[in-house]
PDB file of all heavy atoms in Angstrom:
ATOM      1  N   PRO A   1     207.293 240.604-128.805  1.00 91.00           N
ATOM      2  CA  PRO A   1     206.484 241.752-128.457  1.00 91.00           C
ATOM      3  C   PRO A   1     205.055 241.642-129.010  1.00 91.00           C
ATOM      4  O   PRO A   1     204.878 240.737-129.841  1.00 91.00           O
ATOM      5  CB  PRO A   1     207.248 242.927-129.065  1.00 91.00           C
ATOM      6  CG  PRO A   1     207.913 242.343-130.215  1.00 91.00           C
ATOM      7  CD  PRO A   1     208.327 240.966-129.835  1.00 91.00           C
ATOM      8  N   LEU A   2     204.186 242.482-128.588  1.00 87.00           N
ATOM      9  CA  LEU A   2     202.827 242.516-129.129  1.00 87.00           C
ATOM     10  C   LEU A   2     202.910 242.708-130.619  1.00 87.00           C
ATOM     11  O   LEU A   2     203.526 243.712-131.073  1.00 87.00           O
ATOM     12  CB  LEU A   2     201.942 243.492-128.439  1.00 87.00           C
ATOM     13  CG  LEU A   2     201.696 243.258-126.980  1.00 87.00           C
ATOM     14  CD1 LEU A   2     200.916 244.449-126.414  1.00 87.00           C
ATOM     15  CD2 LEU A   2     200.932 241.985-126.768  1.00 87.00           C
ATOM     16  N   LEU A   3     202.322 241.849-131.370  1.00 83.00           N
ATOM     17  CA  LEU A   3     202.337 241.917-132.882  1.00 83.00           C
ATOM     18  C   LEU A   3     200.943 242.118-133.428  1.00 83.00           C
ATOM     19  O   LEU A   3     200.630 241.572-134.441  1.00 83.00           O
ATOM     20  CB  LEU A   3     202.992 240.673-133.461  1.00 83.00           C
ATOM     21  CG  LEU A   3     204.404 240.359-133.067  1.00 83.00           C
ATOM     22  CD1 LEU A   3     204.814 239.039-133.655  1.00 83.00           C
ATOM     23  CD2 LEU A   3     205.307 241.480-133.515  1.00 83.00           C
ATOM     24  N   SER A   4     200.061 242.854-132.732  1.00 73.00           N
ATOM     25  CA  SER A   4     198.742 243.041-133.223  1.00 73.00           C
ATOM     26  C   SER A   4     198.692 243.995-134.383  1.00 73.00           C
ATOM     27  O   SER A   4     199.506 243.916-135.299  1.00 73.00           O
ATOM     28  CB  SER A   4     197.858 243.544-132.076  1.00 73.00           C
ATOM     29  OG  SER A   4     198.355 244.696-131.538  1.00 73.00           O
ATOM     30  N   GLY A   5     197.797 244.902-134.439  1.00 69.00           N
ATOM     31  CA  GLY A   5     197.695 245.831-135.560  1.00 69.00           C
ATOM     32  C   GLY A   5     196.589 245.336-136.564  1.00 69.00           C
ATOM     33  O   GLY A   5     196.441 245.926-137.642  1.00 69.00           O
ATOM     34  N   SER A   6     195.963 244.250-136.315  1.00 65.00           N
ATOM     35  CA  SER A   6     194.891 243.692-137.152  1.00 65.00           C
ATOM     36  C   SER A   6     193.784 243.186-136.278  1.00 65.00           C
ATOM     37  O   SER A   6     194.031 242.651-135.196  1.00 65.00           O
ATOM     38  CB  SER A   6     195.505 242.620-138.000  1.00 65.00           C
ATOM     39  OG  SER A   6     194.431 241.984-138.721  1.00 65.00           O
ATOM     40  N   ILE A   7     192.556 243.323-136.769  1.00 71.00           N
ATOM     41  CA  ILE A   7     191.448 242.761-136.051  1.00 71.00           C
ATOM     42  C   ILE A   7     191.167 241.282-136.418  1.00 71.00           C
ATOM     43  O   ILE A   7     190.369 240.654-135.824  1.00 71.00           O
ATOM     44  CB  ILE A   7     190.150 243.581-136.246  1.00 71.00           C
ATOM     45  CG1 ILE A   7     189.783 243.730-137.698  1.00 71.00           C
ATOM     46  CG2 ILE A   7     190.311 244.894-135.590  1.00 71.00           C
ATOM     47  CD1 ILE A   7     188.430 244.325-137.932  1.00 71.00           C
ATOM     48  N   ASN A   8     191.872 240.808-137.453  1.00 81.00           N
ATOM     49  CA  ASN A   8     191.738 239.502-137.921  1.00 81.00           C
ATOM     50  C   ASN A   8     192.603 238.500-137.022  1.00 81.00           C
ATOM     51  O   ASN A   8     193.808 238.596-137.160  1.00 81.00           O
ATOM     52  CB  ASN A   8     192.094 239.442-139.384  1.00 81.00           C
ATOM     53  CG  ASN A   8     191.882 238.029-139.976  1.00 81.00           C
ATOM     54  OD1 ASN A   8     192.100 236.990-139.369  1.00 81.00           O
ATOM     55  ND2 ASN A   8     191.504 238.051-141.256  1.00 81.00           N
ATOM     56  N   LEU A   9     192.008 237.682-136.232  1.00 84.00           N
ATOM     57  CA  LEU A   9     192.821 236.822-135.413  1.00 84.00           C
ATOM     58  C   LEU A   9     193.707 235.862-136.164  1.00 84.00           C
ATOM     59  O   LEU A   9     194.769 235.511-135.703  1.00 84.00           O
ATOM     60  CB  LEU A   9     191.840 235.965-134.480  1.00 84.00           C
ATOM     61  CG  LEU A   9     191.140 236.813-133.422  1.00 84.00           C
ATOM     62  CD1 LEU A   9     190.192 235.897-132.640  1.00 84.00           C
ATOM     63  CD2 LEU A   9     192.079 237.518-132.544  1.00 84.00           C
ATOM     64  N   TRP A  10     193.299 235.397-137.361  1.00 83.00           N
ATOM     65  CA  TRP A  10     194.130 234.599-138.220  1.00 83.00           C
ATOM     66  C   TRP A  10     195.383 235.314-138.586  1.00 83.00           C
ATOM     67  O   TRP A  10     196.518 234.691-138.476  1.00 83.00           O
ATOM     68  CB  TRP A  10     193.355 234.116-139.452  1.00 83.00           C
ATOM     69  CG  TRP A  10     194.251 233.176-140.271  1.00 83.00           C
ATOM     70  CD1 TRP A  10     194.321 231.868-140.133  1.00 83.00           C
ATOM     71  CD2 TRP A  10     195.146 233.554-141.307  1.00 83.00           C
ATOM     72  NE1 TRP A  10     195.182 231.299-141.010  1.00 83.00           N
ATOM     73  CE2 TRP A  10     195.689 232.324-141.754  1.00 83.00           C
ATOM     74  CE3 TRP A  10     195.441 234.721-141.942  1.00 83.00           C
ATOM     75  CZ2 TRP A  10     196.626 232.338-142.792  1.00 83.00           C
ATOM     76  CZ3 TRP A  10     196.365 234.653-142.975  1.00 83.00           C
ATOM     77  CH2 TRP A  10     196.962 233.444-143.369  1.00 83.00           C
ATOM     78  N   GLN A  11     195.280 236.583-138.939  1.00 85.00           N
ATOM     79  CA  GLN A  11     196.500 237.337-139.302  1.00 85.00           C
ATOM     80  C   GLN A  11     197.449 237.564-138.095  1.00 85.00           C
ATOM     81  O   GLN A  11     198.649 237.420-138.315  1.00 85.00           O
ATOM     82  CB  GLN A  11     196.075 238.734-139.849  1.00 85.00           C
ATOM     83  CG  GLN A  11     195.485 238.689-141.247  1.00 85.00           C
ATOM     84  CD  GLN A  11     195.033 240.071-141.702  1.00 85.00           C
ATOM     85  OE1 GLN A  11     194.679 240.929-140.908  1.00 85.00           O
ATOM     86  NE2 GLN A  11     195.038 240.252-142.996  1.00 85.00           N
ATOM     87  N   ILE A  12     196.850 237.804-136.932  1.00 86.00           N
ATOM     88  CA  ILE A  12     197.690 237.932-135.761  1.00 86.00           C
ATOM     89  C   ILE A  12     198.382 236.584-135.486  1.00 86.00           C
ATOM     90  O   ILE A  12     199.615 236.567-135.178  1.00 86.00           O
ATOM     91  CB  ILE A  12     196.823 238.334-134.514  1.00 86.00           C
ATOM     92  CG1 ILE A  12     196.333 239.789-134.801  1.00 86.00           C
ATOM     93  CG2 ILE A  12     197.693 238.338-133.294  1.00 86.00           C
ATOM     94  CD1 ILE A  12     195.333 240.275-133.740  1.00 86.00           C
ATOM     95  N   HIS A  13     197.687 235.483-135.530  1.00 87.00           N
ATOM     96  CA  HIS A  13     198.287 234.169-135.293  1.00 87.00           C
ATOM     97  C   HIS A  13     199.383 233.906-136.313  1.00 87.00           C
ATOM     98  O   HIS A  13     200.478 233.437-135.926  1.00 87.00           O
ATOM     99  CB  HIS A  13     197.167 233.046-135.424  1.00 87.00           C
ATOM    100  CG  HIS A  13     197.726 231.725-135.225  1.00 87.00           C
ATOM    101  ND1 HIS A  13     198.157 231.203-134.036  1.00 87.00           N
ATOM    102  CD2 HIS A  13     197.913 230.722-136.145  1.00 87.00           C
ATOM    103  CE1 HIS A  13     198.549 229.963-134.172  1.00 87.00           C
ATOM    104  NE2 HIS A  13     198.429 229.614-135.427  1.00 87.00           N
ATOM    105  N   HIS A  14     199.143 234.235-137.599  1.00 89.00           N
ATOM    106  CA  HIS A  14     200.137 234.015-138.656  1.00 89.00           C
ATOM    107  C   HIS A  14     201.409 234.881-138.370  1.00 89.00           C
ATOM    108  O   HIS A  14     202.528 234.431-138.548  1.00 89.00           O
ATOM    109  CB  HIS A  14     199.545 234.426-140.007  1.00 89.00           C
ATOM    110  CG  HIS A  14     200.530 234.216-141.142  1.00 89.00           C
ATOM    111  ND1 HIS A  14     200.914 232.956-141.547  1.00 89.00           N
ATOM    112  CD2 HIS A  14     201.150 235.121-141.921  1.00 89.00           C
ATOM    113  CE1 HIS A  14     201.790 233.129-142.596  1.00 89.00           C
ATOM    114  NE2 HIS A  14     201.894 234.455-142.777  1.00 89.00           N
ATOM    115  N   ARG A  15     201.212 236.118-137.913  1.00 89.00           N
ATOM    116  CA  ARG A  15     202.403 236.945-137.548  1.00 89.00           C
ATOM    117  C   ARG A  15     203.222 236.285-136.469  1.00 89.00           C
ATOM    118  O   ARG A  15     204.443 236.323-136.539  1.00 89.00           O
ATOM    119  CB  ARG A  15     201.890 238.304-137.085  1.00 89.00           C
ATOM    120  CG  ARG A  15     201.367 239.159-138.156  1.00 89.00           C
ATOM    121  CD  ARG A  15     200.892 240.465-137.646  1.00 89.00           C
ATOM    122  NE  ARG A  15     200.289 241.271-138.765  1.00 89.00           N
ATOM    123  CZ  ARG A  15     199.599 242.384-138.540  1.00 89.00           C
ATOM    124  NH1 ARG A  15     199.491 242.881-137.372  1.00 89.00           N
ATOM    125  NH2 ARG A  15     199.103 243.039-139.609  1.00 89.00           N
ATOM    126  N   TYR A  16     202.624 235.820-135.445  1.00 92.00           N
ATOM    127  CA  TYR A  16     203.330 235.092-134.372  1.00 92.00           C
ATOM    128  C   TYR A  16     204.007 233.836-134.843  1.00 92.00           C
ATOM    129  O   TYR A  16     205.149 233.558-134.425  1.00 92.00           O
ATOM    130  CB  TYR A  16     202.434 234.850-133.130  1.00 92.00           C
ATOM    131  CG  TYR A  16     202.269 236.055-132.281  1.00 92.00           C
ATOM    132  CD1 TYR A  16     201.047 236.742-132.242  1.00 92.00           C
ATOM    133  CD2 TYR A  16     203.318 236.544-131.507  1.00 92.00           C
ATOM    134  CE1 TYR A  16     200.904 237.879-131.461  1.00 92.00           C
ATOM    135  CE2 TYR A  16     203.106 237.664-130.699  1.00 92.00           C
ATOM    136  CZ  TYR A  16     201.915 238.348-130.737  1.00 92.00           C
ATOM    137  OH  TYR A  16     201.730 239.476-129.948  1.00 92.00           O
ATOM    138  N   GLN A  17     203.382 233.105-135.710  1.00 94.00           N
ATOM    139  CA  GLN A  17     204.100 231.942-136.261  1.00 94.00           C
ATOM    140  C   GLN A  17     205.335 232.292-137.040  1.00 94.00           C
ATOM    141  O   GLN A  17     206.371 231.699-136.857  1.00 94.00           O
ATOM    142  CB  GLN A  17     203.087 231.124-137.144  1.00 94.00           C
ATOM    143  CG  GLN A  17     202.095 230.301-136.379  1.00 94.00           C
ATOM    144  CD  GLN A  17     201.226 229.441-137.371  1.00 94.00           C
ATOM    145  OE1 GLN A  17     200.894 229.913-138.427  1.00 94.00           O
ATOM    146  NE2 GLN A  17     200.950 228.228-136.915  1.00 94.00           N
ATOM    147  N   ALA A  18     205.165 233.326-137.894  1.00 94.00           N
ATOM    148  CA  ALA A  18     206.272 233.788-138.643  1.00 94.00           C
ATOM    149  C   ALA A  18     207.420 234.317-137.743  1.00 94.00           C
ATOM    150  O   ALA A  18     208.620 234.056-138.004  1.00 94.00           O
ATOM    151  CB  ALA A  18     205.887 234.876-139.671  1.00 94.00           C
ATOM    152  N   TRP A  19     207.033 235.084-136.731  1.00 94.00           N
ATOM    153  CA  TRP A  19     207.975 235.695-135.755  1.00 94.00           C
ATOM    154  C   TRP A  19     208.722 234.549-135.101  1.00 94.00           C
ATOM    155  O   TRP A  19     209.950 234.583-134.952  1.00 94.00           O
ATOM    156  CB  TRP A  19     207.247 236.568-134.741  1.00 94.00           C
ATOM    157  CG  TRP A  19     208.128 237.143-133.771  1.00 94.00           C
ATOM    158  CD1 TRP A  19     208.562 236.719-132.550  1.00 94.00           C
ATOM    159  CD2 TRP A  19     208.720 238.504-133.861  1.00 94.00           C
ATOM    160  NE1 TRP A  19     209.361 237.575-131.967  1.00 94.00           N
ATOM    161  CE2 TRP A  19     209.475 238.608-132.668  1.00 94.00           C
ATOM    162  CE3 TRP A  19     208.710 239.491-134.833  1.00 94.00           C
ATOM    163  CZ2 TRP A  19     210.220 239.825-132.424  1.00 94.00           C
ATOM    164  CZ3 TRP A  19     209.426 240.591-134.537  1.00 94.00           C
ATOM    165  CH2 TRP A  19     210.211 240.798-133.431  1.00 94.00           C
ATOM    166  N   ALA A  20     208.021 233.531-134.547  1.00 95.00           N
ATOM    167  CA  ALA A  20     208.585 232.436-133.873  1.00 95.00           C
ATOM    168  C   ALA A  20     209.623 231.673-134.729  1.00 95.00           C
ATOM    169  O   ALA A  20     210.650 231.288-134.300  1.00 95.00           O
ATOM    170  CB  ALA A  20     207.534 231.540-133.307  1.00 95.00           C
ATOM    171  N   LYS A  21     209.242 231.444-135.971  1.00 97.00           N
ATOM    172  CA  LYS A  21     210.072 230.731-136.853  1.00 97.00           C
ATOM    173  C   LYS A  21     211.377 231.447-137.118  1.00 97.00           C
ATOM    174  O   LYS A  21     212.484 230.863-136.965  1.00 97.00           O
ATOM    175  CB  LYS A  21     209.371 230.500-138.210  1.00 97.00           C
ATOM    176  CG  LYS A  21     210.108 229.683-139.229  1.00 97.00           C
ATOM    177  CD  LYS A  21     209.301 229.536-140.524  1.00 97.00           C
ATOM    178  CE  LYS A  21     210.092 228.743-141.503  1.00 97.00           C
ATOM    179  NZ  LYS A  21     209.294 228.503-142.785  1.00 97.00           N
ATOM    180  N   VAL A  22     211.330 232.734-137.393  1.00 96.00           N
ATOM    181  CA  VAL A  22     212.548 233.546-137.617  1.00 96.00           C
ATOM    182  C   VAL A  22     213.336 233.686-136.306  1.00 96.00           C
ATOM    183  O   VAL A  22     214.586 233.481-136.306  1.00 96.00           O
ATOM    184  CB  VAL A  22     212.268 234.948-138.229  1.00 96.00           C
ATOM    185  CG1 VAL A  22     213.446 235.783-138.270  1.00 96.00           C
ATOM    186  CG2 VAL A  22     211.573 234.773-139.608  1.00 96.00           C
ATOM    187  N   LEU A  23     212.724 234.030-135.279  1.00 96.00           N
ATOM    188  CA  LEU A  23     213.446 234.173-134.026  1.00 96.00           C
ATOM    189  C   LEU A  23     214.113 232.920-133.548  1.00 96.00           C
ATOM    190  O   LEU A  23     215.261 232.956-133.184  1.00 96.00           O
ATOM    191  CB  LEU A  23     212.448 234.685-132.859  1.00 96.00           C
ATOM    192  CG  LEU A  23     213.170 234.920-131.546  1.00 96.00           C
ATOM    193  CD1 LEU A  23     212.985 236.373-131.111  1.00 96.00           C
ATOM    194  CD2 LEU A  23     212.723 234.002-130.428  1.00 96.00           C
ATOM    195  N   SER A  24     213.412 231.820-133.656  1.00 97.00           N
ATOM    196  CA  SER A  24     214.022 230.538-133.234  1.00 97.00           C
ATOM    197  C   SER A  24     215.209 230.131-134.021  1.00 97.00           C
ATOM    198  O   SER A  24     216.293 229.757-133.528  1.00 97.00           O
ATOM    199  CB  SER A  24     213.013 229.416-133.377  1.00 97.00           C
ATOM    200  OG  SER A  24     211.930 229.581-132.485  1.00 97.00           O
ATOM    201  N   ALA A  25     215.159 230.361-135.353  1.00 97.00           N
ATOM    202  CA  ALA A  25     216.310 230.061-136.283  1.00 97.00           C
ATOM    203  C   ALA A  25     217.459 230.949-135.945  1.00 97.00           C
ATOM    204  O   ALA A  25     218.623 230.444-135.784  1.00 97.00           O
ATOM    205  CB  ALA A  25     215.881 230.160-137.725  1.00 97.00           C
TER     206      ALA A  25
END
């Protein structure tokens, strides 16, 4: 799902990386 909530693109990217790692496992 949309994981925004921050104007910092690095933080948004980091959230998606963490999400993908947990979801995949």
Side-chain angles (χ1 to χ4, degrees):
L2 293 175
L3 299 175
S4 57
S6 173
I7 57 171
N8 182 324
L9 292 178
W10 183 86
Q11 288 177 332
I12 293 171
H13 178 73
H14 180 71
R15 287 178 185 172
Y16 279 106
Q17 283 185 321
W19 182 272
K21 184 178 179 181
V22 171
L23 182 120
S24 295

